[in-house]
Amino acid sequence: MSSERRFEYEKGPRLEDERETDESDSEAVGDDGSDDGPHRERHQLVVRPWKAGAVAGVGAFTVVFAVLYQLAGAMVAGGAFGGSQDRPSRWVMTGLITLGNHGVTIEHGGETIRGGFGYVRGLTSHVGALVPIAVLLAAGYLLVRYVRLETRREAGLAIGSLIGSYIILVTGLSTIARWTPPQALETTEEVQTVAAGTDLGTIVSVGTTAIVFVTIGAAVAALPQLVAARQ
């Protein structure tokens, strides 16, 4: 007696479903093969704008001071500041170098140092002057790029607090970055101290440097968003 065997097969997905899946995958993948689909969002930090700006300003100052501290050590090793007993401490040198590379005038006995810079020969250099520029550009860019700033007011608060905190820290160096040469202490004449200017020009020089390069970095970061918004 013969029996009929019935075989059942699992049904695969319909062709229409496969087409819909392929189309959705193609939309999520860009023309260059990347995964930057229209629904992919950029990860940004949600924090108060003024706090983010203050942290960025302190971080920018720390990076600038650390790099110039290393540069001061290299200059000492190269004999740029004379003998071992005839130079300021490395911390004072770094403070003077930081201020000088922001355009602050360095004075010796109340008069602006000119020419060979006397005791602090090589105080400023082309390499050192680029350090604040590069750090401030990066600080402004990263602040706008990775912190969620939804309005112009929030952007202004973030950038303003960055610039303000940076100016306060840099100008604060002018009160502690002071050095009196040993020869001046051994004579009966008036002590000639090497220090940075503490007048309004110091704030203007540091503020101009910070405002210009932080704004440029922030503008570069915000440019893609502005172009996308107009499209």
Side-chain angles (χ1 to χ4, degrees):
M1 186 173 180
S2 63
S3 60
E4 295 181 0
R5 295 183 178 179
R6 300 178 61 183
F7 297 92
E8 294 182 359
Y9 299 92
E10 293 182 0
K11 296 181 179 180
R14 294 184 303 173
L15 295 177
E16 291 80 5
D17 296 336
E18 291 182 352
R19 291 196 191 96
E20 292 177 359
T21 303
D22 294 337
E23 290 176 359
S24 62
D25 292 339
S26 61
E27 290 177 358
V29 178
D31 296 335
D32 56 350
S34 62
D35 293 333
D36 296 330
H39 301 291
R40 184 173 181 178
E41 297 182 357
R42 185 176 59 195
H43 294 289
Q44 291 182 319
L45 297 175
V46 180
V47 64
R48 291 186 178 181
W50 68 268
K51 287 185 178 181
V55 172
V58 174
F61 171 79
T62 303
V63 173
V64 169
F65 194 85
V67 173
L68 293 179
Y69 182 83
Q70 177 64 27
L71 180 61
M75 296 171 72
V76 169
F81 297 96
S84 60
Q85 301 297 328
D86 191 19
R87 64 166 182 259
S89 66
R90 191 169 172 181
W91 292 102
V92 174
M93 281 189 294
T94 304
L96 294 173
I97 290 173
T98 302
L99 292 165
N101 285 306
H102 284 81
V104 179
T105 58
I106 307 299
E107 301 175 349
H108 182 203
E111 297 181 359
T112 302
I113 296 177
R114 303 181 184 277
F117 293 95
Y119 293 102
V120 285
R121 185 182 305 275
L123 180 63
T124 57
S125 65
H126 299 294
V127 176
L130 294 176
V131 174
I133 295 175
V135 174
L136 291 172
L137 285 172
Y141 177 86
L142 295 175
L143 179 66
V144 176
R145 178 69 172 78
Y146 292 105
V147 176
R148 180 171 295 179
L149 304 173
E150 298 180 349
T151 63
R152 294 182 180 179
R153 180 177 179 275
E154 291 182 350
L157 285 174
I159 296 174
S161 60
L162 189 163
I163 295 173
S165 60
Y166 186 83
I167 292 175
I168 291 173
L169 291 172
V170 175
T171 54
L173 288 176
S174 61
T175 61
I176 59 177
R178 308 173 66 87
W179 175 60
T180 302
Q183 296 86 347
L185 297 175
E186 297 174 357
T187 61
T188 58
E189 299 178 356
E190 184 179 358
V191 176
Q192 302 291 320
T193 301
V194 178
T198 56
D199 54 1
L200 182 60
T202 300
I203 299 176
V204 172
S205 298
V206 177
T208 301
T209 303
I211 291 171
V212 170
F213 295 106
V214 168
T215 303
I216 293 175
V220 172
L223 185 60
Q225 300 179 12
L226 296 177
V227 173
R230 291 185 178 181
Q231 292 178 353

